[in-house]
Amino acid sequence: MSDLQDLYQELIIDHSKRPRNFRRIEGVSPVVGHNPLCGDKLALFVCVTDGKVSDVAWEGAGCAISTASASLMTDALKGKSVEEAERMIDAFHRLVTGEGEAPDPKGMGKLAVFEGVKEYPSRVKCANLAWRTMRAGLEQDAAKVVSTE
């Protein structure tokens, strides 16, 4: 395995064992995401203030890919404008699926660790779960349950 692959694996393991922003935001209704194929489930708490993602947190359980993705996503999107967040959601989807024009992984920062997921179709849904749920949260549909089916 190359040094870069080792680094990527370490980053995913770190975020899966010590997820960032793993907490509830009081007074915020969660958007629930579920991947029945893998059993991943999360509740995402999204706060938007003055057109920016002022806070985002999550709770749940899932595989290492799903957990690391949610952790890295919350770090990446906090403080971004809603428009920037939506662009990042689209870019991440293209990164992990290979659909459309793929973003330059160098421009994705730490999220580039998920580029290889596109080679494992069953893991794409795991990586994308938090991001699909975030899109629903930005659309202010807090009662919606997002499924990757």
Side-chain angles (χ1 to χ4, degrees), residues 41-60:
K41 191 167 187 178
L42 65 84
L44 187 70
F45 302 86
V46 182
C47 296
V48 175
T49 307
D50 297 326
K52 290 193 177 217
V53 179
S54 55
D55 200 3
V56 59
W58 66 285
E59 292 183 328

Side-chain angles (χ1 to χ4, degrees), residues 31 46-49 82 133-144:
V31 180
V46 182
C47 296
V48 175
T49 307
V82 170
T133 307
M134 182 68 180
R135 184 178 304 283
L138 291 175
E139 292 171 355
Q140 303 299 314
D141 192 357
K144 185 174 184 179

Side-chain angles (χ1 to χ4, degrees), residues 22 39-42 58-63 66-67 129:
F22 190 84
D40 303 330
K41 191 167 187 178
L42 65 84
W58 66 285
E59 292 183 328
C63 68
S66 177
T67 300
L129 177 63

Side-chain angles (χ1 to χ4, degrees), residues 3-74:
D3 290 341
L4 185 58
Q5 287 173 321
D6 289 343
L7 178 63
Y8 282 2
Q9 187 174 3
E10 287 177 29
L11 186 62
I12 288 173
I13 290 169
D14 179 45
H15 277 266
S16 69
K17 288 185 176 182
R18 289 178 292 285
R20 285 28 163 217
N21 302 301
F22 190 84
R23 61 187 165 77
R24 189 176 282 268
I25 299 176
E26 295 302 321
V28 176
S29 297
V31 180
V32 177
H34 183 231
N35 177 1
L37 180 68
C38 191
D40 303 330
K41 191 167 187 178
L42 65 84
L44 187 70
F45 302 86
V46 182
C47 296
V48 175
T49 307
D50 297 326
K52 290 193 177 217
V53 179
S54 55
D55 200 3
V56 59
W58 66 285
E59 292 183 328
C63 68
I65 296 290
S66 177
T67 300
S69 182
S71 177
L72 284 158
M73 179 198 72
T74 56

